[in-house]
Amino acid sequence: MITAVITGASSGLGKEYINAIIAQYPTVDVFWLVARRKDLLKEIAEEHPDKTIAAISLDLTKPESLPIFEQLLKENNPEIKVLINNAGYGKGSDFFSSNHEAQLGMIDLNCRALTGLLRLCLPYMLDDSLVLNIASIAAFAPTPRMSVYCATKAYVLALSKALHSELAPRGIKVTAVCPGPMDTEFWQVANVTEGKSRLIDKLPRVSPQAVAVGSLRAAKRGKMVYTKGFLYKFYHVLSKIVPHGFLMQFTEI
């Protein structure tokens, strides 16, 4: 059966991708939803009784998670049409005073798990299938006080661009999705709640629903990088022509 795999699917942008895929890919019958919070995944499954939804409770920061997922692939042999690599988190803090486990955890989840899961899924992906790797506008230039997060998202952006070219002959389209700030749980996890960052408080929010719908359409058209909103598209261009040392004077969290 035609399958979509979504990581970080229990809330926020990941959850929005479910409805976007249902609307744009009605042939997708099965959803593999991967997240830590199985209770939320079960609630999502109840909202879509006409679809077969597998609630896969995995903490992708754990080394044992990828072998478990690999075994699920071997046992079920899914025909994957859409892969959304959405799982990830950020932390806003000075690098020197930060929790080192949280910093390493970002690398584990945002880079290692994304890379490993993508590689495991590729043999099961159909022709004319999609991979959407969720990066961030933070990938465009370093941001002081979110140094590791920016570095991980720069990795996701670079990996996605290379695979966009490398996997094209197989009929697999790869898109790096680089949204601006969204009203999701991200900011609570990052410890950058309202009032803690003048910059973040001033920046316009992007709708997670609009990002999911727009990025899926862009990926179908073969777009390599997707960013929503004029301001963030302008920042993308600016980051290519203005020295990052200058930009960082205005982007500290």
Coordinates of all heavy atoms in Angstrom, one line a residue, residues 151-199:
A151 N 24.0 25.2 12.9 CA 25.0 24.3 12.3 C 24.3 23.0 11.8 O 24.5 22.5 10.7 CB 26.1 23.9 13.2
T152 N 23.4 22.5 12.6 CA 22.6 21.3 12.2 C 21.7 21.5 11.1 O 21.6 20.7 10.2 CB 21.8 20.7 13.4 OG1 20.8 21.6 13.8 CG2 22.7 20.3 14.6
K153 N 21.1 22.7 11.0 CA 20.2 23.0 9.9 C 20.9 23.3 8.6 O 20.4 23.0 7.5 CB 19.2 24.1 10.3 CG 18.2 23.7 11.4 CD 17.4 22.4 11.0 CE 16.4 22.0 12.1 NZ 15.6 20.8 11.7
A154 N 22.1 23.9 8.8 CA 23.0 24.1 7.6 C 23.4 22.7 7.0 O 23.4 22.6 5.8 CB 24.2 24.9 8.0
Y155 N 23.6 21.7 7.9 CA 23.9 20.4 7.4 C 22.7 19.8 6.6 O 22.8 19.3 5.5 CB 24.2 19.5 8.6 CG 24.2 18.0 8.3 CD1 25.4 17.4 7.8 CD2 23.1 17.2 8.4 CE1 25.5 16.1 7.5 CE2 23.1 15.8 8.1 CZ 24.3 15.3 7.6 OH 24.3 13.9 7.3
V156 N 21.5 20.0 7.2 CA 20.3 19.5 6.5 C 20.1 20.1 5.1 O 19.8 19.5 4.1 CB 19.0 19.7 7.4 CG1 17.8 19.3 6.6 CG2 19.1 18.9 8.7
L157 N 20.4 21.4 5.1 CA 20.2 22.2 3.8 C 21.2 21.7 2.8 O 20.9 21.4 1.6 CB 20.4 23.7 4.1 CG 20.3 24.6 2.8 CD1 19.0 24.5 2.1 CD2 20.6 26.0 3.2
A158 N 22.5 21.5 3.2 CA 23.5 21.0 2.3 C 23.3 19.6 1.8 O 23.4 19.3 0.6 CB 24.9 21.1 2.9
L159 N 22.9 18.8 2.7 CA 22.6 17.4 2.4 C 21.4 17.3 1.4 O 21.5 16.6 0.4 CB 22.2 16.6 3.6 CG 21.8 15.1 3.4 CD1 22.9 14.3 3.0 CD2 21.1 14.6 4.7
S160 N 20.4 18.1 1.6 CA 19.2 18.1 0.8 C 19.5 18.6 -0.6 O 19.1 18.0 -1.6 CB 18.1 19.0 1.4 OG 17.7 18.5 2.7
K161 N 20.4 19.6 -0.7 CA 20.7 20.1 -2.0 C 21.5 19.0 -2.8 O 21.3 18.8 -4.0 CB 21.6 21.4 -1.9 CG 20.8 22.6 -1.5 CD 21.7 23.8 -1.4 CE 21.0 25.1 -1.1 NZ 21.9 26.3 -1.0
A162 N 22.5 18.4 -2.2 CA 23.2 17.4 -2.9 C 22.4 16.2 -3.3 O 22.5 15.7 -4.4 CB 24.4 16.9 -1.9
L163 N 21.5 15.8 -2.4 CA 20.6 14.6 -2.8 C 19.5 15.0 -3.8 O 19.1 14.1 -4.5 CB 19.9 14.1 -1.5 CG 20.8 13.4 -0.5 CD1 20.0 12.9 0.7 CD2 21.6 12.3 -1.1
H164 N 19.2 16.3 -3.9 CA 18.3 16.8 -4.9 C 18.8 16.4 -6.3 O 18.1 16.0 -7.2 CB 18.1 18.3 -4.8 CG 17.2 18.9 -5.8 ND1 15.8 18.9 -5.7 CD2 17.5 19.4 -7.0 CE1 15.3 19.5 -6.8 NE2 16.3 19.8 -7.6
S165 N 20.1 16.6 -6.4 CA 20.8 16.2 -7.7 C 21.0 14.7 -7.8 O 20.8 14.1 -8.8 CB 22.1 17.0 -7.8 OG 22.8 16.6 -9.0
E166 N 21.5 14.1 -6.7 CA 22.0 12.7 -6.7 C 20.8 11.7 -7.0 O 21.0 10.7 -7.7 CB 22.7 12.4 -5.4 CG 23.3 11.1 -5.4 CD 24.1 10.9 -4.1 OE1 24.6 11.9 -3.5 OE2 24.2 9.7 -3.6
L167 N 19.6 12.0 -6.4 CA 18.5 11.1 -6.5 C 17.6 11.4 -7.6 O 16.6 10.6 -7.9 CB 17.7 11.1 -5.1 CG 18.5 10.6 -3.9 CD1 17.7 10.8 -2.7 CD2 19.0 9.2 -4.1
A168 N 17.8 12.5 -8.3 CA 16.9 12.8 -9.5 C 16.8 11.7 -10.5 O 15.7 11.4 -11.0 CB 17.4 14.1 -10.1
P169 N 17.9 11.0 -10.9 CA 17.8 10.0 -11.8 C 16.9 8.8 -11.4 O 16.3 8.1 -12.2 CB 19.2 9.5 -12.0 CG 20.1 10.7 -11.7 CD 19.3 11.3 -10.5
R170 N 16.7 8.7 -10.1 CA 15.8 7.6 -9.6 C 14.4 8.1 -9.5 O 13.5 7.3 -9.1 CB 16.3 7.2 -8.2 CG 17.5 6.3 -8.1 CD 17.6 5.7 -6.8 NE 16.4 5.0 -6.4 CZ 16.1 4.6 -5.2 NH1 17.0 4.8 -4.2 NH2 15.0 4.0 -4.9
G171 N 14.1 9.4 -9.9 CA 12.8 9.9 -9.8 C 12.3 10.3 -8.4 O 11.2 10.5 -8.1
I172 N 13.3 10.5 -7.5 CA 13.0 11.0 -6.2 C 13.4 12.4 -6.0 O 14.5 12.9 -6.3 CB 13.8 10.2 -5.1 CG1 13.5 8.7 -5.2 CG2 13.6 10.7 -3.7 CD1 14.3 7.8 -4.3
K173 N 12.4 13.2 -5.7 CA 12.6 14.7 -5.5 C 12.8 15.0 -4.1 O 12.1 14.6 -3.2 CB 11.3 15.4 -6.0 CG 11.0 15.2 -7.5 CD 9.6 15.7 -7.9 CE 9.3 15.4 -9.3 NZ 7.9 15.9 -9.7
V174 N 13.9 15.8 -3.9 CA 14.3 16.1 -2.5 C 14.2 17.7 -2.3 O 14.8 18.4 -3.1 CB 15.7 15.7 -2.2 CG1 16.1 16.0 -0.8 CG2 15.9 14.2 -2.4
T175 N 13.6 18.1 -1.3 CA 13.4 19.5 -1.0 C 13.8 19.8 0.4 O 13.4 19.1 1.3 CB 11.9 19.9 -1.2 OG1 11.6 19.7 -2.6 CG2 11.7 21.4 -0.9
A176 N 14.6 20.9 0.6 CA 14.9 21.4 1.9 C 13.8 22.5 2.3 O 13.7 23.4 1.5 CB 16.2 22.0 2.0
V177 N 13.1 22.3 3.3 CA 12.0 23.2 3.8 C 12.6 24.1 4.8 O 13.1 23.6 5.9 CB 10.8 22.5 4.3 CG1 9.7 23.4 4.7 CG2 10.3 21.5 3.3
C178 N 12.6 25.4 4.6 CA 13.3 26.4 5.5 C 12.3 27.4 6.0 O 12.3 28.5 5.5 CB 14.5 27.0 4.8 SG 15.8 25.9 4.2
P179 N 11.5 27.0 6.9 CA 10.5 28.0 7.4 C 11.1 29.0 8.4 O 12.1 28.8 9.0 CB 9.5 27.1 8.2 CG 10.3 25.9 8.6 CD 11.4 25.7 7.6
G180 N 10.4 30.1 8.5 CA 10.7 31.1 9.5 C 10.0 30.7 10.8 O 9.5 29.6 10.9
P181 N 10.0 31.6 11.8 CA 9.4 31.3 13.1 C 7.9 30.9 13.0 O 7.2 31.6 12.2 CB 9.5 32.6 13.9 CG 10.7 33.3 13.3 CD 10.6 32.9 11.8
M182 N 7.5 29.8 13.6 CA 6.1 29.4 13.6 C 5.7 29.3 15.1 O 6.5 29.0 16.0 CB 6.0 28.0 13.0 CG 6.4 28.0 11.5 SD 6.2 26.3 10.7 CE 7.7 25.5 11.5
D183 N 4.4 29.4 15.3 CA 3.8 29.3 16.7 C 3.6 27.8 16.9 O 2.5 27.3 16.7 CB 2.5 30.1 16.8 CG 2.8 31.6 16.9 OD1 3.8 31.9 17.6 OD2 2.0 32.3 16.4
T184 N 4.6 27.1 17.4 CA 4.6 25.7 17.7 C 5.3 25.5 19.1 O 5.7 26.5 19.7 CB 5.3 24.9 16.7 OG1 6.7 25.2 16.7 CG2 4.8 25.1 15.3
E185 N 5.5 24.3 19.5 CA 6.1 24.0 20.7 C 7.6 24.2 20.7 O 8.3 24.2 21.7 CB 5.9 22.5 21.1 CG 4.4 22.2 21.4 CD 4.2 20.7 21.7 OE1 5.2 19.9 21.5 OE2 3.1 20.3 22.1
F186 N 8.1 24.5 19.5 CA 9.6 24.7 19.3 C 10.2 25.7 20.3 O 11.2 25.5 20.9 CB 9.9 25.2 17.9 CG 11.3 25.5 17.6 CD1 12.2 24.5 17.2 CD2 11.8 26.8 17.8 CE1 13.5 24.8 16.9 CE2 13.2 27.1 17.6 CZ 14.0 26.1 17.2
W187 N 9.5 26.8 20.5 CA 10.0 27.9 21.3 C 10.1 27.6 22.8 O 11.0 28.0 23.5 CB 9.3 29.2 21.1 CG 9.3 29.6 19.6 CD1 8.3 29.6 18.7 CD2 10.5 30.0 18.9 NE1 8.8 29.9 17.5 CE2 10.1 30.2 17.6 CE3 11.8 30.3 19.3 CZ2 11.0 30.7 16.6 CZ3 12.7 30.7 18.3 CH2 12.3 30.9 17.0
Q188 N 9.1 26.8 23.2 CA 9.1 26.3 24.6 C 10.3 25.4 24.9 O 11.0 25.5 25.9 CB 7.8 25.6 25.0 CG 6.6 26.5 25.2 CD 6.1 27.1 23.9 OE1 6.1 26.4 22.9 NE2 5.6 28.3 23.9
V189 N 10.5 24.5 23.9 CA 11.6 23.5 24.0 C 13.0 24.3 23.9 O 13.9 24.0 24.7 CB 11.6 22.5 22.9 CG1 12.8 21.6 22.9 CG2 10.3 21.6 23.1
A190 N 13.0 25.3 23.1 CA 14.2 26.1 22.9 C 14.5 27.1 24.0 O 15.6 27.7 24.1 CB 14.1 26.9 21.6
N191 N 13.5 27.2 24.9 CA 13.6 28.2 26.0 C 13.8 29.6 25.5 O 14.5 30.4 26.1 CB 14.8 27.8 26.9 CG 14.8 28.6 28.3 OD1 13.7 28.8 28.8 ND2 15.9 28.9 28.8
V192 N 13.0 29.9 24.4 CA 13.0 31.2 23.9 C 11.5 31.6 23.8 O 10.9 31.8 22.8 CB 13.6 31.3 22.5 CG1 13.7 32.8 22.1 CG2 15.0 30.7 22.5
T193 N 10.9 31.7 25.0 CA 9.4 32.0 25.0 C 9.3 33.5 24.9 O 10.3 34.3 24.9 CB 8.8 31.6 26.4 OG1 9.6 32.0 27.4 CG2 8.7 30.0 26.4
E194 N 8.0 34.0 24.8 CA 7.8 35.4 24.5 C 8.4 36.3 25.6 O 8.3 36.0 26.8 CB 6.3 35.6 24.5 CG 5.9 37.1 24.1 CD 4.4 37.2 23.9 OE1 3.6 36.2 24.0 OE2 3.9 38.4 23.7
G195 N 9.1 37.3 25.2 CA 9.8 38.2 26.1 C 11.2 37.9 26.3 O 11.9 38.7 26.9
K196 N 11.7 36.7 25.9 CA 13.1 36.4 26.1 C 14.0 36.8 25.0 O 15.2 36.8 25.1 CB 13.2 34.9 26.3 CG 12.7 34.4 27.7 CD 13.2 33.0 28.1 CE 12.9 32.7 29.5 NZ 13.5 31.4 29.9
S197 N 13.4 37.1 23.8 CA 14.2 37.5 22.7 C 13.5 38.6 21.9 O 12.5 38.4 21.3 CB 14.5 36.3 21.7 OG 15.1 36.8 20.5
R198 N 14.1 39.8 21.9 CA 13.5 40.9 21.2 C 13.4 40.6 19.7 O 12.4 41.0 19.1 CB 14.3 42.2 21.5 CG 13.6 43.5 21.0 CD 14.5 44.7 21.4 NE 14.8 44.7 22.8 CZ 15.6 45.6 23.3 NH1 16.2 46.5 22.6 NH2 15.9 45.6 24.6
L199 N 14.4 40.0 19.2 CA 14.4 39.7 17.8 C 13.2 38.7 17.4 O 12.5 39.0 16.5 CB 15.7 39.0 17.4 CG 15.8 38.5 15.9 CD1 15.7 39.6 14.9 CD2 17.1 37.7 15.7

